[in-house]
Amino acid sequence: QVHLAESGGGSVQAGGSLRLSCTASGNIFSITDRSWYRQAPGNRRELVATILSDGSTRYLPSVKGRFTISGDNAKKTWSLQLNSLEPEDTAVYYCNADASMSPYSYWGQGTQVTVSS
């Protein structure tokens, strides 16, 4: 089993920055890809950014150039730097880890990001 603990988040004005962090514990050797998702009220959860097991990254088009995902080689921690925040970025952000064994995916508890105009 893997446990994910998030930190960061909060409230900022448009144009501001925040940093979210996720720390994994337990069977971290099974972790492959690491991601951040978000879910705004009334919307489905969407993938924001991923750091693949080979270190390459993928981004939701609307955040590319503003958000940066990074992680340590031990796959124990990963972060999401959120710059140039917009009100549309307001959501609960969740860290996620894919794993090579059941249950194959783990989630953090979620952290609120609120951007005011």
Side-chain angles (χ1 to χ4, degrees), residues 64-84:
K64 196 170 184 179
R66 300 188 296 121
F67 293 6
T68 303
I69 188 171
S70 61
D72 67 336
N73 291 334
K75 296 184 179 178
K76 185 174 182 179
T77 62
W78 57 104
S79 299
L80 186 68
Q81 179 67 38
L82 296 74
N83 295 331
S84 302

Side-chain angles (χ1 to χ4, degrees), residues 33-89:
D33 302 340
R34 294 165 286 172
S35 301
W36 287 93
Y37 286 73
R38 68 186 181 186
Q39 187 168 20
N43 292 353
R44 61 186 178 96
R45 192 171 296 188
E46 64 180 355
L47 177 61
V48 176
T50 297
I51 180 166
L52 301 176
S53 56
D54 64 1
S56 60
T57 56
R58 303 287 186 270
Y59 294 94
L60 180 71
S62 63
V63 308
K64 196 170 184 179
R66 300 188 296 121
F67 293 6
T68 303
I69 188 171
S70 61
D72 67 336
N73 291 334
K75 296 184 179 178
K76 185 174 182 179
T77 62
W78 57 104
S79 299
L80 186 68
Q81 179 67 38
L82 296 74
N83 295 331
S84 302
L85 281 161
E86 303 169 353
E88 294 74 21
D89 297 317

